[in-house]
Amino acid sequence: MKKVLLFVFAMLLTTRVQSQNYFPNNESVQSKNENYTAFINAKIYVTPTQIINKGTLLIQKGKVISAGTTIPIPKNTIVVNLDGKTIYPSFIDLYTSFGIEKPKSTSPMSRGQLYDTKRAGYYWNENIRSEVNAFENYKYDTSKAEEFLKSGFGVVGTHVQDGIARGTGTLIALNNFDNSKRLLANKITNHFGFTRSALTTQSYPSSLMGMMALIRQMYFDMDWYKKGNSETKDISLEALIENQNLVQLFASEDKLNSLRASKIAKEFGINYILKGSGNEFERIDEIKKTNAKFIIPINFPEAYDVSDPIQANQMELKDLRFWNQAPTNPKVLAENGIVFALTTDNLKKLENFRTNLLKAVQYGFDATKALEALTTIPASIIGKNNEIGTLSNGSYANFIITSGDYFDKKTVIYENWVQGNRFVVNDMTIKDIRGNYDLVINNETFKWKISGEMTSPKSEITNADNKKLNSKITIANQWLTTIIKPSDSLKTNFTRLSTYLGSTPILGGKAIVKDGKEVSWIATKTSEFKADPEDKKEEKLNPVQPVTFPNVAFGNEQKLVTQNLLFKNATIWTNEKEGILENTDVLIKEGKIAAIGKNLSDPKATVIDAKGKHLTSGIIDEHSHIAISRGVNEGGHNSSAEVTIQDVVNSEDPNIYRDLAGGVTISQLLHGSANPIGGRSAIVKWKWGLSPEEMLYKNQPKFIKFALGENVKQSNWGNINPIRFPQTRMGVEQVFTDYFQRAKEYDLAWKNYNSSKKGKTPRVDLELQTLAEILNKERFITCHSYVQSEILMLMNVAEKFNFRVNTFTHILEGYKVADKMKEHGVGASTFSDWWAYKFEVNDAIPFNGPIMHNKGIVVAYNSDDAEMSRRLNQEAAKAVKYGDVSEEEAWKFVTLNPAKLLHIDDKVGSIKIGKDADVVLWNTNPLSIYAKAEKTIIEGVVYFDSQRDEEQRKAIAKERSVLIGQLLEEKNKGMITQEPKKAERTEYHCDTMEY
């Protein structure tokens, strides 16, 4: 007993608040603690790989003095015997909002849209908040600190998680006793993310591509400002410049966003630490190629309650599969040599951190790697490995004391020391009182079973009639208290037991019985505690489903490869002067069309019997909005020429697979029509299973989307009070004229500077730079259009600035001005028979395409719709129906003609020797409503095969059944579950706006 009291007194001495030596002390007599504390006979993890058995850890003044097996112990030392216990360095979480009040959201809908900033002296966009410093905003949260401490953490990085450029983060020691030592670094990290600030109603950017463009412009502006070119002061840019040598931390929050952030980092020579989301394993090859370090959450999804089959059927396979695969993410990252730290971010409860970490270890995550991800790696990332993350000499005395191996679920965390200050998680001196007892309370006898965990025991009491009584047992500071509830649930006459836990196996003390009377009680142990055999069984792990490419339904088990293929005896739609060839062979080698003719052979090629079938070039959709992430419109400005769809291709959109099933091999992904000058487009080949970057058409011509009509003047934007210029069709013309004049002047300024290198460097303006490319005939315009007057207007503006419009898309009044279009040299990408879906298309007719075609205009049919893009072959057939266009020419409306409009007809659009092997094998005439694509091939790779599709459907059904079985088993085991969620997917159109 005396030893226990002496130990407690000693600990109190070491945990008193110790102010810095020049601080006044008005609380007590001035004292200075020079004592050492030695922890002996412990297993000590100095680092995850440097382990000392039966060692001594010596600390003083909040620092580690030494760790080893033969450490001399000074006289003024408090000695703590940790025989059988283990010491680890306390953990580090670099990504938190600890002590930061969450910014309150301001909805653009409720307060009206703001187009220009109201902040004087700061950056022009309010989502750039680089001047924010976390150390000026944080308030130490003792209760939250205790949650971290209980989970083993000693140090956290914190920052304001708001905006695109978020400002600096600070490093905090979770020292609940000495506030003068908590702040380890005012500025340790500089933060960025792909989210808008909650504090602004400024409408730009409203899309992910807008955010990426804004980040690029910010870096160009920072460099320009840094060189002294600005005539005005910008506090935000000055903060960026000041903090550019800090660790740059980017919250990507998704595997594809990690690739996007890495792309920006490469462009500007920045080394981002990427904060991921836990789905990195799905694109591990691409993640590895970023060469970035990561901060990874382990907020694994809870099991879904799929007991209702109707709800279960609403869930997508990818969500069921992610639940199954998510715990393997740390293992996969580690096995691929990716350096990463772990974070508690996005956990519902901090107490779930260790549970999830142990699950990751069960699923193959190496325990040493896990320990590194919590200690040495985060310390190294921020350059603090000499201070935190280890128990090396001179480092902070931040460590946890456990009952054994941290990665054993039975292990108890006893204490967490931060800067030499002791925080008790569980009483290290607690006695194991578990077992079976004969309990006597005031001469009344009971049977008492104490089981459960040593630190959180469970009580089971039965009376002489063998009836169970509800009871609850609590142990704190060596005191045991037990409350016994009456058998009658309506009564409140509880019995309360209490005693101090001594060394004797007999428990006893005072009891307060139902009438308030104090009596004695005694419990004599009759047998030792025996663990339930079920507890000793290793938890059965769910078999992990294999990752597919992409990791969604109809993904491929392996990345598909190029094949040499020989089609025999097919009907070939060449789209060349040879026309349609009957009973002809086509040989595909190394991704190209190698030969066309009769009786071809190649011993290395797979022969496909195409007798009675039709082989065509792949369909090209000139106007599509599928497979775009987080916004098809950047409508925050009347011009968004700086944004590009190439940044936001979503390689996992199931519409890609559906397009392949409809014979589509290439699409131009266009910006929407929310503003007169939209964003740059992406021409993609639908290489299902590859990354967004690999889908981009190589060396693609440069395009940009323009728009006319109701959308751009905001006449159909609903009740959000549109106030952005322009509001009229004549205003739209003025926007074009103004921007092209500015672009002309911008281009001239740069040409003059580059030729002379005199004067101040012009500011890089991504928007005007893009428009200057149009003036220099380096970029082509695809323009959303309906009304004849506006069609003529844009051609007049183009001719005024000496360029031509490349394509009018929609162009439903093109038949009225076909002669003028031919004279200008513009092409048309239209609908076959859409009309009257809004006022400005009332004059549309189904003969529009054929009329323009007969005038000599290059005409294509497009989809502008996820559903229609699957059946563009049938749209082409309507040209035959409505315009007496020949079948061969009609087929060109969705193949060769869009290739010409996109300036890629030298590579695709027809079956010709030397062109890319982008072909489709149809079961019949492709213009028939009964036509089905049997194989869709891109560069010799079979990305869709109807037979394989049938097999995949069966495999998907089987996999769903397996996963639902696993989920039902989780519920039966009593695990926490969540309600199934139906995935909501927005199908983008020209006018889709997101805020």
Side-chain angles (χ1 to χ4, degrees):
M1 180 70 180
K2 288 181 179 179
K3 289 182 179 179
V4 171
L5 292 173
L6 180 62
F7 175 76
V8 172
F9 179 70
M11 292 302 101
L12 288 172
L13 282 176
T14 62
T15 55
R16 289 181 60 189
V17 174
Q18 300 172 31
S19 299
Q20 297 182 19
N21 57 15
Y22 58 86
F23 278 33
N25 177 17
N26 297 300
E27 294 182 358
S28 63
V29 175
Q30 189 80 28
S31 63
K32 191 175 183 181
N33 187 354
E34 298 286 345
N35 288 339
Y36 295 86
T37 304
F39 302 87
I40 64 172
N41 296 321
K43 183 176 184 178
I44 303 169
Y45 281 76
V46 179
T47 70
T49 55
Q50 183 186 347
I51 306 164
I52 302 170
N53 291 307
K54 285 288 182 179
T56 296
L57 176 67
L58 185 66
I59 68 171
Q60 184 195 39
K61 297 180 181 178
K63 296 287 185 75
V64 173
I65 301 302
S66 189
T69 54
T70 57
I71 305 298
I73 299 177
K75 290 183 178 180
N76 57 329
T77 300
I78 300 163
V79 178
V80 183
N81 188 352
L82 295 182
D83 190 18
K85 297 178 177 60
T86 305
I87 296 176
Y88 295 93
S90 294
F91 305 150
I92 305 164
D93 188 346
L94 295 181
Y95 194 90
T96 78
S97 57
F98 175 77
I100 302 289
E101 184 178 355
K102 186 177 180 180
K104 295 179 180 177
S105 177
T106 303
S107 169
M109 294 290 192
S110 60
R111 292 184 53 182
Q113 290 175 299
L114 177 70
Y115 292 97
D116 299 316
T117 183
K118 293 182 178 179
R119 299 198 309 165
Y122 295 87
Y123 197 63
W124 61 267
N125 191 278
E126 295 177 5
N127 293 284
I128 304 302
R129 313 185 75 83
S130 47
E131 69 283 353
V132 172
N133 295 309
F135 77 90
E136 297 172 341
N137 291 275
Y138 109 99
K139 183 179 179 182
Y140 193 83
D141 186 339
T142 302
S143 62
K144 191 67 177 179
E146 288 185 359
E147 291 183 42
F148 275 107
L149 288 163
K150 289 176 181 177
S151 295
F153 290 87
V155 173
V156 296
T158 185
H159 72 286
V160 181
Q161 296 180 17
D162 180 66
I164 294 171
R166 302 172 173 183
T168 63
T170 190
L171 195 65
I172 307 295
L174 299 172
N175 184 340
N176 276 7
F177 304 95
D178 190 346
N179 61 7
S180 68
K181 296 180 180 178
R182 291 171 181 158
L183 198 60
L184 299 182
N186 284 0
K187 298 180 180 181
I188 195 71
T189 44
N190 199 23
H191 290 262
F192 304 88
F194 286 137
T195 55
R196 287 173 48 84
S197 172
L199 301 175
T200 181
T201 60
Q202 199 170 4
S203 58
Y204 181 89
S206 61
S207 65
L208 177 58
M209 59 182 161
M211 294 174 194
M212 294 187 69
L214 177 59
I215 292 170
R216 288 190 178 96
Q217 189 63 63
M218 175 195 74
Y219 281 128
F220 279 123
D221 288 346
M222 181 188 78
D223 183 65
W224 177 75
Y225 188 93
K226 185 178 179 180
K227 293 174 180 176
N229 294 302
S230 178
E231 296 179 358
T232 58
K233 183 178 179 64
D234 191 310
I235 295 171
S236 303
L237 291 180
E238 288 182 0
L240 271 176
I241 293 165
E242 180 185 347
N243 299 322
Q244 61 184 332
N245 291 326
L246 297 176
V247 175
Q248 308 292 301
L249 205 160
F250 202 111
S252 54
E253 307 290 3
D254 175 70
K255 60 184 182 295
L256 296 184
N257 281 349
S258 289
L259 304 183
R260 292 167 181 137
S262 180
K263 181 180 177 182
I264 293 175
K266 186 176 180 180
E267 289 173 18
F268 292 93
I270 300 166
N271 181 23
Y272 284 140
I273 307 298
L274 299 175
K275 192 268 175 176
S277 65
N279 62 4
E280 290 72 24
F281 67 93
E282 296 182 322
R283 281 285 173 192
I284 193 62
D285 291 341
E286 290 80 9
I287 291 292
K288 187 174 182 178
K289 289 176 183 177
T290 66
N291 294 318
K293 295 177 181 178
F294 282 78
I295 297 174
I296 299 295
I298 51 173
N299 56 321
F300 306 140
E302 296 170 346
Y304 295 97
D305 182 356
V306 291
S307 51
D308 182 339
I310 295 175
Q311 285 188 312
N313 285 338
Q314 291 182 334
M315 290 202 63
E316 291 193 8
L317 176 65
K318 69 181 182 67
D319 295 322
L320 298 173
R321 190 184 279 177
F322 183 70
W323 164 79
N324 170 270
Q325 297 169 335
T328 68
N329 190 53
K331 166 184 175 283
V332 174
L333 288 168
E335 288 179 346
N336 281 273
I338 295 164
V339 178
F340 65 96
L342 293 175
T343 177
T344 60
D345 187 56
N346 288 331
L347 285 171
K348 288 183 178 179
K349 296 179 181 178
L350 259 171
E351 64 192 46
N352 293 338
F353 176 80
R354 187 173 178 220
T355 302
N356 285 7
L357 181 60
L358 296 189
K359 178 182 277 191
V361 171
Q362 283 183 296
Y363 277 85
F365 186 26
D366 181 73
T368 300
K369 294 289 185 183
L371 197 54
E372 289 175 342
L374 289 166
T375 56
T376 52
I377 289 175
S380 175
I381 284 174
I382 57 175
K384 292 285 185 180
N385 39 320
N386 291 328
E387 300 177 41
I388 56 177
T390 74
L391 295 176
S392 302
N393 298 355
S395 63
Y396 281 111
N398 296 352
F399 56 91
I400 59 174
I401 301 172
T402 69
S403 63
D405 181 357
Y406 176 84
F407 298 100
D408 183 338
K409 68 178 182 179
K410 297 290 186 182
T411 293
V412 177
I413 300 176
Y414 288 126
E415 296 175 1
N416 192 345
W417 290 64
V418 178
Q419 297 179 317
N421 292 285
R422 172 177 174 251
F423 177 83
V424 177
V425 180
N426 290 292
D427 188 352
M428 191 158 46
T429 62
I430 193 169
K431 287 185 57 178
D432 187 356
I433 61 169
R434 295 174 298 174
N436 294 301
Y437 293 82
D438 286 335
L439 171 64
V440 180
I441 305 174
N442 197 25
N443 297 322
E444 189 176 356
T445 60
F446 304 86
K447 293 293 183 181
W448 192 7
K449 179 182 178 181
I450 302 176
S451 58
E453 300 297 327
M454 194 171 71
T455 54
S456 55
K458 297 176 181 178
S459 172
E460 184 180 307
I461 296 175
T462 55
N463 61 17
D465 297 327
N466 207 30
K467 186 176 182 180
K468 283 186 181 181
L469 305 178
N470 290 327
S471 60
K472 183 177 181 181
I473 188 169
T474 305
I475 299 175
N477 299 322
Q478 293 293 91
W479 280 92
L480 177 149
T481 58
T482 304
I483 297 176
I484 305 173
K485 300 177 182 179
S487 55
D488 188 342
S489 60
L490 298 177
K491 294 181 179 180
T492 59
N493 49 338
F494 299 98
T495 298
R496 292 167 290 161
L497 314 181
S498 64
T499 187
Y500 184 80
L501 297 175
S503 57
T504 174
I506 299 175
L507 305 177
K510 298 294 183 181
I512 306 297
V513 294
K514 56 187 178 180
D515 56 2
K517 182 181 176 182
E518 184 177 281
V519 299
S520 296
W521 67 275
I522 189 169
T524 305
K525 183 178 282 190
T526 58
S527 63
E528 294 295 330
F529 167 73
K530 292 182 180 179
D532 189 330
E534 292 295 318
D535 293 340
K536 294 182 179 179
K537 287 184 179 179
E538 284 193 20
E539 184 181 346
K540 181 183 176 183
L541 299 181
N542 290 315
V544 178
Q545 296 299 312
V547 174
T548 62
F549 302 93
N551 198 33
V552 299
F554 298 99
N556 302 299
E557 292 183 3
Q558 303 291 333
K559 290 184 178 179
L560 301 175
V561 296
T562 302
Q563 302 179 54
N564 291 341
L565 302 171
L566 178 57
F567 294 91
K568 298 289 290 182
N569 301 314
T571 299
I572 312 297
W573 297 55
T574 67
N575 284 348
E576 295 289 339
K577 62 183 180 180
E578 292 81 4
I580 299 175
L581 305 175
E582 303 285 346
N583 297 313
T584 301
D585 304 342
V586 172
L587 177 64
I588 291 172
K589 292 185 71 173
E590 298 177 356
K592 298 289 184 180
I593 296 171
I596 304 170
K598 304 280 187 178
N599 302 315
L600 298 180
S601 64
D602 189 310
K604 294 182 179 180
T606 299
V607 176
I608 299 170
D609 182 4
K611 187 174 180 61
K613 299 176 183 180
H614 294 244
L615 188 72
T616 72
S617 55
I619 291 174
I620 299 173
D621 190 354
E622 188 275 341
H623 185 142
S624 178
H625 299 302
I626 68 170
I628 295 173
S629 294
R630 289 176 54 185
V632 69
N633 272 300
E634 182 44 73
H637 289 161
N638 52 24
S639 168
S640 54
E642 72 282 357
V643 310
T644 174
I645 299 291
Q646 290 188 28
D647 282 338
V648 290
V649 174
N650 176 10
S651 55
E652 301 185 356
D653 186 346
N655 286 311
I656 296 172
Y657 186 75
R658 292 168 185 155
D659 266 24
L660 288 165
V664 179
T665 56
I666 294 176
S667 296
Q668 178 177 217
L669 305 184
L670 286 167
H671 185 278
S673 56
N675 38 11
I677 301 174
R680 293 170 269 168
S681 67
I683 302 174
V684 292
K685 286 196 173 190
W686 291 133
K687 299 177 180 179
W688 181 240
L690 299 190
S691 69
E693 204 67 25
E694 291 170 305
M695 286 184 172
L696 295 177
Y697 190 98
K698 293 178 182 178
N699 303 313
Q700 62 184 262
K702 298 177 180 180
F703 276 82
I704 187 172
K705 173 76 172 295
F706 276 32
L708 308 168
E710 293 178 16
N711 294 358
V712 301
K713 67 188 187 70
Q714 300 179 288
S715 60
N716 53 6
W717 281 37
N719 297 321
I720 60 171
N721 189 29
I723 56 172
R724 188 202 68 200
F725 178 78
Q727 292 289 295
T728 64
R729 294 181 193 267
M730 58 185 173
V732 174
E733 179 180 9
Q734 191 55 49
V735 166
F736 293 140
T737 302
D738 176 60
Y739 268 99
F740 280 125
Q741 183 59 38
R742 288 168 56 200
K744 185 176 180 180
E745 295 167 5
Y746 172 85
D747 190 48
L748 181 61
W750 270 104
K751 287 175 178 175
N752 290 338
Y753 174 78
N754 288 331
S755 63
S756 67
K757 298 296 181 184
K758 294 180 180 178
K760 289 188 175 182
T761 308
R763 172 179 175 264
V764 172
D765 188 314
L766 294 174
E767 180 182 43
L768 295 180
Q769 188 179 83
T770 302
L771 296 177
E773 290 175 343
I774 298 171
L775 297 177
N776 292 324
K777 300 178 177 59
E778 297 168 355
R779 186 175 294 277
F780 305 106
I781 293 173
T782 293
C783 185
H784 164 111
S785 55
Y786 289 106
V787 179
Q788 62 173 325
S789 59
E790 289 189 301
I791 296 166
L792 295 172
M793 173 271 289
L794 184 58
M795 290 192 292
N796 288 337
V797 170
E799 290 166 4
K800 175 181 176 181
F801 287 94
N802 195 31
F803 69 90
R804 72 175 182 88
V805 180
N806 188 85
T807 310
F808 280 116
T809 188
H810 306 324
I811 191 69
L812 295 185
E813 290 190 15
Y815 67 94
K816 296 182 179 180
V817 290
D819 54 342
K820 297 295 184 182
M821 291 172 62
K822 174 65 177 176
E823 183 180 330
H824 182 76
V826 64
S829 181
T830 188
F831 298 136
S832 60
D833 58 356
W834 284 25
W835 58 76
Y837 52 89
K838 59 180 177 177
F839 187 80
E840 64 183 352
V841 298
N842 279 351
D843 284 357
I845 59 174
F847 308 97
N848 181 51
I851 289 173
M852 291 189 289
H853 167 72
N854 292 334
K855 282 287 187 180
I857 296 169
V858 177
V859 175
Y861 282 166
N862 67 66
S863 73
D864 190 22
D865 178 77
E867 174 62 26
M868 182 174 286
S869 62
R870 302 167 58 188
R871 52 194 90 258
L872 278 172
N873 62 311
Q874 296 179 22
E875 296 300 297
K878 293 175 184 178
V880 180
K881 175 181 179 180
Y882 290 118
D884 290 329
V885 177
S886 70
E887 288 191 359
E888 188 176 349
E889 287 301 311
W891 185 245
K892 291 178 184 178
F893 278 26
V894 293
T895 52
L896 183 60
N897 289 0
K900 289 179 177 179
L901 294 177
L902 295 174
H903 300 272
I904 56 175
D905 55 303
D906 60 327
K907 296 286 194 301
V908 294
S910 64
I911 295 180
K912 181 179 179 180
I913 294 174
K915 282 195 171 185
D916 291 351
D918 296 1
V919 299
V920 183
L921 182 66
W922 304 85
N923 65 336
T924 188
N925 185 318
L927 296 176
S928 168
I929 61 171
Y930 301 108
K932 291 183 179 180
E934 292 189 353
K935 295 183 189 295
T936 302
I937 298 164
I938 300 174
E939 295 174 11
V941 180
V942 182
Y943 283 102
F944 175 80
D945 183 287
S946 58
Q947 290 184 346
R948 186 171 68 208
D949 178 80
E950 288 295 329
E951 294 168 2
Q952 285 179 315
R953 290 172 188 271
K954 294 175 184 176
I956 288 168
K958 183 178 179 180
E959 183 179 357
R960 285 185 67 92
S961 178
V962 169
L963 291 170
I964 287 172
Q966 291 179 1
L967 289 163
L968 289 171
E969 191 174 340
E970 291 290 306
K971 184 180 181 182
N972 291 338
K973 288 191 295 187
M975 305 301 289
I976 297 173
T977 59
Q978 59 176 316
E979 186 178 347
K981 299 177 180 66
K982 182 180 180 181
E984 298 293 338
R985 185 180 290 106
T986 301
E987 300 290 4
Y988 290 137
H989 296 91
C990 278
D991 56 354
T992 306
M993 288 291 293
E994 295 180 319
Y995 302 95

